[in-house]
């Protein structure tokens, strides 16, 4: 009877103990052995046939053999349809088409929610029931929105544009461009706008467009045909921003310019065509869907106007347009300041913090009830045109007639009745509407739901411009005499100028002017709009950051602010003034124990510089944290330990071989094989489960002559799993010789090789001692991936140059060297703090040094470095 043993894979913290299998005879063992060989032979035949089939396909493709008429047609269709999915123009057209569908679907959901709200409101038979019907649907939508966003994608809350600016900057933000966030964003923004909150969808659509781009690029990268092609995700994200704006306002040109201004500091010209092409595809599809589905007669702008083209304004009116730009500039800066401070208040107030931690639905519920109560039509809402949707507000404000004039038509009277009552006139309504949009848009934007800022500020600016236009029409009822004829004042033109100016001041983008041209379908007021927008943006930029940069500052995202043009310190402040001198590094003379200590003491560092030694600090490169962790695992990991144990057991087994067998041919052949296959293959046999019985067996490898290296390794693994350890004088390890090619394996007779002792893992004490010995060794960086040329700066590099380099190249950190010696490191955090201090006028000690003293010390400092 033969008793066999096997070694079972257990966790690393457990001891490997030998377990005896049921006792079996030599005949049963031989039958099991032959049966396993047959299985392995069948497996090899199957693999060989599959490889031959693949080789045949590649050979036919290479020789271009005859394929048949229908096969050639199918191949042609596949090549010119699905096969082109990875090309740029197909990629961008598909992106524009998908985003147009999403934007149109959101509009339909918003229209459905708005009509349902009005239906519930009209069902009421008294004031209380109407109030209940007015607030019921918004409350339910916002409560669903808050819960859905929290459960599906919390990162979808807010605009998404500030995060996208950070991503395009080169910083990876986890979970911001995933399918879950896309779903939460689509339904979330539909519920937000459908509830009647004074919020927009422009920022969320840009975020959604970026997510679609990322998902589509990931899908193509997983396809076999595109595995070897590099997907330019960052470049496509710039085009995705343009598509988001284009499918919101049907403004492709303005969308491209807006994406350039908002998302990037340095724009690559090669992305210009991509952005335009994708934006045009998205804008055309978005408006054509209204023609095909809604029954519109032709392609029309979103907010169509019909201003006079011949003499739309008098040159003297440019003063009033410039005044609108000045007021809008200060008003936009005030809006950004109020928004930033209120958001900080909600994050710092202890009561609101406790309220959100107790129940996240209480604060959004209070906000939606407050906003809905204010817009209740029989209440305060009658002074705000609260019963109108956002598009209705803009259409009324852009109306091409003077509200104060007499002899109005029936349609004009209907528009005017929305902005007056029996006791109040349009001025009070417009002022009330402006106050409501200014305060409630800030108030509602703090809810944890998807929302945008563009449309609320656009409506506020349109109301402000309408007031100025009505005042000008009242002061000059006959217009201005120019060119032999009277030029009447068009209040709707003033509304478009005010909308563009205030929105440009809040977003600090000039491209809003182009967006207004495309939204209205006219460029007759191009000069007034450009003048007002330029003045508003210039004033707002001087007074503070934009609404998007405010979110970046509040969330402390790693994005660099812009240097103010008037700051002179950008030339005098140098890297040595704000760099971190306490640099955490690794060197070639450190032990594994010291390396482990560096990693434990700095858990947040992702990259470490490598110097020659701790004395000269010559920078040789940098490496990732994961690479250093891999070195530690290879030195003290389970594979290394089992290899050590196997070598020890093998030496003991060699010593136990009988003297008469030491000089035998089988023993000599076995020793030669072990020396050839080396420790790596032996370690693989211990750690990898067998393919036949799902367990690992300690075995001795056999020799197989194979032409294909991959098949040879598979056979080696299979033969390792066949052999079993047997007790002394009761069995043997058999030596096998394989055929040169094919699936049959011919076993040869072999000699007995004895292993006396079972393999056991180390005890805790032994393992601790062994690890101390391993950790005392010097680190071997030969198997570690090193970046031999990390980005370096010198100490006297100015702040302006550092800011330009970080922005242009998308750097996250740079090492500061002095004649090759590592003296400091600069990251986004340090650079951002230096820029903020320079913009605010804070002086640094090194700036107080006189230029002459610096010149006198320069030579001595240089000699000291040498």
């Amino acid at each position: 009877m033969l008793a066999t043993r096997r070694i079972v894979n257990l966790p690393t913290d457990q001891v490997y103990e030998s377990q005896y299998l049921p006792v079996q005879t030599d005949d049963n063992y031989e039958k099991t052995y032959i049966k396993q060989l047959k299985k392995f032979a069948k497996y090899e035949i199957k693999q060989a046939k599959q490889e031959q089939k693949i080789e045949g396909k590649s050979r036919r493709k290479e020789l271009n053999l005859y394929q048949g008429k229908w096969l050639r047609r199918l191949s042609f269709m596949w090549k010119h349809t699905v096969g082109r999915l990875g090309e740029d123009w197909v990629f961008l057209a598909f992106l524009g088409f998908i985003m147009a569908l999403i934007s149109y679907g959101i509009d339909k959901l918003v229209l459905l929610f708005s009509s349902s709200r009005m239906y519930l409101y009209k069902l009421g038979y008294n004031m209380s029931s109407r109030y209940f019907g007015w607030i019921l649907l918004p409350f339910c939508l916002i409560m669903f929105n808050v819960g859905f966003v929290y459960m599906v994608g919390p990162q979808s809350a807010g605009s998404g544009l500030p995060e996208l600016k950070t991503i395009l900057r080169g910083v990876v933000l986890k979970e911001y461009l995933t399918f879950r966030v896309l779903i939460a964003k689509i339904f979330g923004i539909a519920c937000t706008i459908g509830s009647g909150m004074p919020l927009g969808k422009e920022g969320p659509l840009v975020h959604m467009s970026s997510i679609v781009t990322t998902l589509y690029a990931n899908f193509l990268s997983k396809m076999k045909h595109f595995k070897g092609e590099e997907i330019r995700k960052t470049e496509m994200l710039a085009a995705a921003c343009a598509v988001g704006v284009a499918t919101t306002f049907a403004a492709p040109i303005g969308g491209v310019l807006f994406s350039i201004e908002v998302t990037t500091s340095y724009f690559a010209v090669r992305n210009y065509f991509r952005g335009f092409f994708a934006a045009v595809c998205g804008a055309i599809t978005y408006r054509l869907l209204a023609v095909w589905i809604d029954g519109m007669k032709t392609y029309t702008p979103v907010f169509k106007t019909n201003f006079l083209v011949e003499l739309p304004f008098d040159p003297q009116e440019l003063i009033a347009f410039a005044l609108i730009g000045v007021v809008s500039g200060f008003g936009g800066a005030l809006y950004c300041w109020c928004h930033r401070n209120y958001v900080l208040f909600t994050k710092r107030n202890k009561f609101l913090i406790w309220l959100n931690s107790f129940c996240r639905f209480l604060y959004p519920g209070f906000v939606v009830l407050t906003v809905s109560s204010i817009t209740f039509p029989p209440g305060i809402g009658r002074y705000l045109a609260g019963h109108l949707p956002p598009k209705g507000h803009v259409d009324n404000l852009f109306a091409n007639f003077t509200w104060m004039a007499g002899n109005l038509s029936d349609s004009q009277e209907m528009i005017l009745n929305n902005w007056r009552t029996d006791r109040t006139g349009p001025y009070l309504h417009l002022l009330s509407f402006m106050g409501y949009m200014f305060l409630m848009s800030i108030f509602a934007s703090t809810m944890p739901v998807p929302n945008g800022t563009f449309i609320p500020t656009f409506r506020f600016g349109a109301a402000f411009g309408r007031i100025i236009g009505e005042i000008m029409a009242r002061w000059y009822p006959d217009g201005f005499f120019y060119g032999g004829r009277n030029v009447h004042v068009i209040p709707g033109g003033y509304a478009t100028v005010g909308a563009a100016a205030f929105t440009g001041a809040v977003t600090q983008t000039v491209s809003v002017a182009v967006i207004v041209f495309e939204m209205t379908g006219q460029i007759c007021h191009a000069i007034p709009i450009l003048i007002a927008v330029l003045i508003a943006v210039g004033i707002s930029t001087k007074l503070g950051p934009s609404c998007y940069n405010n979110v970046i500052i509040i969330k402390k995202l790693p994005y660099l602010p812009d240097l103010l043009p008037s700051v002179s310190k950008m030339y005098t402040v140098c890297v040595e003034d704000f760099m971190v001198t306490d640099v955490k590094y690794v060197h070639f003379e450190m032990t594994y124990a010291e390396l482990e200590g560096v990693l434990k003491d700095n858990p947040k560092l992702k990259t470490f510089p490598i110097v020659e030694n701790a004395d000269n600090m010559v920078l040789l490169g940098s490496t990732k944290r994961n690479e250093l962790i891999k070195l530690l695992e290879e030195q003290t990991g389970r594979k290394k330990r089992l290899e050590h144990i196997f070598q020890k057991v093998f030496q003991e087994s060699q010593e136990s071989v009988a003297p008469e067998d030491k000089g035998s041919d089988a023993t000599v052949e076995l020793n030669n094989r072990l020396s050839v296959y080396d420790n790596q293959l032996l370690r693989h046999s211990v750690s990898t489960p067998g393919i036949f019985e799902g367990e690992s067996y300690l075995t001795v490898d056999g020799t197989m002559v194979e032409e294909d290296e991959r098949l040879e390794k598979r056979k080696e693994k299979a033969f390792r799993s066949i052999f079993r350890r047997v007790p002394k004088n009761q069995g043997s390890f058999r030596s096998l010789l394989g055929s040169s090619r094919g699936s049959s394996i011919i076993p040869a007779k072999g000699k007995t090789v004895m292993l006396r002792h079972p393999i056991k893992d180390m005890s805790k004490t032994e393992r601790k001692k062994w690890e101390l010995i391993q950790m005392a060794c010097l680190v071997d960086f030969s198997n570690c991936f090193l970046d031999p040329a990390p980005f370096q700066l010198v100490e006297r590099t100015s702040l302006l140059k550092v800011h330009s380099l970080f922005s242009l190249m998308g750097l996250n950190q740079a090492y500061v060297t002095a004649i090759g010696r590592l003296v400091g490191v600069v990251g986004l955090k340090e650079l951002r703090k230096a820029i903020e201090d320079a913009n605010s006028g804070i002086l640094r000690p090194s700036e107080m040094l006189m230029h002459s003293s610096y010149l006198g010390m320069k030579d001595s400092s240089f000699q000291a470095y040498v």
Side-chain angles (χ1 to χ4, degrees), residues 204-257:
L205 268 178
V206 172
H207 190 189
M208 283 185 275
S209 180
S210 303
I211 296 175
V212 172
T213 302
T214 303
L215 295 178
Y216 186 68
N218 292 337
F219 168 73
L220 290 181
S221 63
K222 293 178 181 179
M223 295 178 64
K224 183 178 180 180
H225 181 67
F226 299 102
K227 274 185 178 294
E229 298 184 6
E230 182 181 359
I231 306 299
R232 298 176 294 275
K233 295 182 181 179
T234 305
E235 297 179 358
M236 292 302 178
L237 285 178
C241 299
V243 175
V245 179
T247 52
T248 305
F249 309 114
I253 301 175
V256 174
L257 299 178

Side-chain angles (χ1 to χ4, degrees), residues 172-191:
V172 178
L173 298 180
K174 295 182 179 180
E175 303 296 332
Y176 268 93
L177 300 177
T178 60
F179 181 74
R180 294 169 60 90
V181 176
L182 176 64
I183 297 299
K185 205 83 173 181
I186 292 174
F187 291 98
I189 193 61
C191 294

Side-chain angles (χ1 to χ4, degrees), residues 415-668:
I415 293 176
L416 185 57
N417 289 334
N418 296 325
W419 301 91
R420 70 180 179 183
T421 62
D422 296 336
R423 298 181 180 180
T424 57
Y427 291 115
L428 177 61
H429 286 245
L430 290 173
L431 289 174
S432 302
F433 181 77
M434 289 175 57
Y436 163 76
M437 293 303 303
F438 190 97
L439 298 176
M440 292 299 104
S441 60
I442 296 175
F443 188 46
S445 64
T446 56
M447 293 189 298
V449 295
N451 58 78
T453 310
F454 194 97
I455 292 298
T457 57
F458 191 83
R459 294 158 66 188
F460 176 92
F464 171 68
R466 188 75 196 193
I467 292 177
I468 301 298
E470 293 294 338
I471 293 176
M472 291 293 294
R474 189 178 183 87
W475 287 351
Y476 302 96
D478 297 330
F480 298 90
F481 185 79
Y482 180 76
R485 58 181 297 183
N486 288 333
V487 179
H488 293 281
V489 176
I490 304 176
Y494 284 82
T496 58
V497 174
F502 190 79
T503 307
V506 173
T507 60
Q508 294 184 2
T509 56
V510 184
S511 57
V512 176
V514 184
I515 294 176
V516 172
F517 299 156
E518 295 180 279
M519 281 196 302
T520 59
Q522 289 184 314
I523 59 172
C524 55
H525 284 80
I527 298 301
I529 290 177
L530 288 174
I531 291 175
V533 169
L534 288 173
I535 294 175
V537 172
I539 294 175
S540 178
T541 304
K542 294 290 185 180
L543 296 178
S546 66
C547 60
Y548 304 122
N549 291 335
N550 277 336
V551 177
I552 292 176
I553 295 172
I554 293 170
K555 292 186 176 182
K556 298 181 180 179
L557 298 176
Y559 187 82
L560 293 179
D562 294 329
L563 281 166
L564 297 179
S566 60
V567 176
S568 60
K569 298 180 180 60
M570 67 176 72
Y571 303 100
T572 57
V573 176
C574 301
V575 172
E576 61 181 351
D577 299 328
F578 55 87
M579 69 180 183
V580 177
T581 57
D582 185 15
V583 185
K584 307 301 179 183
Y585 60 90
V586 296
H587 56 88
F588 284 108
E589 297 180 358
M590 70 188 316
T591 62
Y592 285 96
E594 295 174 347
L595 177 61
E596 184 181 22
V598 172
L599 294 176
K600 288 183 177 180
D601 295 339
N602 306 278
K604 295 184 179 180
L605 292 182
K606 303 300 181 183
T607 306
F608 290 86
I610 298 180
V611 299
E612 186 175 354
N613 54 60
D615 297 329
N616 57 22
M617 294 293 292
V618 175
L619 182 63
L620 301 178
S622 64
T623 186
K624 300 289 185 181
R625 182 184 188 89
N626 295 336
E627 296 292 330
L628 299 177
I629 295 176
K630 191 184 299 183
L631 291 179
L632 289 175
E633 291 179 350
E634 292 177 355
Q635 183 68 11
T636 60
R638 175 175 174 269
K639 291 184 178 181
K640 184 82 171 180
R641 189 173 68 255
L642 292 181
E643 180 184 356
H644 175 77
I645 296 171
F646 178 81
Q647 292 291 347
K648 182 178 180 181
V649 173
F650 178 72
Q651 292 177 2
E652 294 177 355
S653 64
Q654 287 292 92
E655 295 175 357
S656 64
V657 176
E660 61 273 11
D661 293 335
K662 287 185 178 180
S664 62
D665 295 338
T667 306
V668 174

Side-chain angles (χ1 to χ4, degrees), residues 361-381:
F361 296 96
L362 294 179
Y363 179 76
F366 173 74
V367 173
V368 68
L369 289 178
T370 302
V371 175
S372 299
S373 300
I374 292 175
T375 58
F376 182 54
I380 304 177

Side-chain angles (χ1 to χ4, degrees), residues 322-344:
L323 180 63
I324 291 177
V326 173
V327 178
S328 297
F330 285 101
L334 178 63
Y335 182 90
C336 295
W337 182 83
C338 294
H339 179 267
R340 179 176 67 252
N341 284 274
Y342 182 71
V343 173
L344 291 174

Side-chain angles (χ1 to χ4, degrees), residues 738-782:
S739 61
S740 60
R741 184 71 177 172
S743 59
S744 61
I745 305 297
I746 305 174
K749 295 182 180 181
K751 296 294 183 179
T752 302
V753 181
M754 301 297 178
L755 292 178
R756 294 179 178 272
H757 306 289
I759 293 183
K760 295 183 179 180
D761 197 1
M762 299 178 182
S763 63
K764 292 184 178 180
T765 305
E766 294 175 345
R767 185 187 302 179
K768 188 175 182 180
K769 292 181 180 179
W770 178 79
E771 289 180 353
L772 289 176
I773 297 174
Q774 296 295 114
M775 296 293 285
C777 301
L778 294 179
V779 180
D780 181 15
F781 290 96
S782 59

Side-chain angles (χ1 to χ4, degrees), residues 166 169-172 558 607 624 791 805-806 809-814 825-831:
T166 307
R169 173 62 183 73
V171 180
V172 178
T607 306
K624 300 289 185 181
F791 201 88
L805 290 173
F806 270 64
M809 304 185 66
L811 300 177
N812 293 327
Q813 69 175 11
V825 62
V826 176
L828 287 176
K829 180 180 178 180
E830 292 77 25
L831 181 57

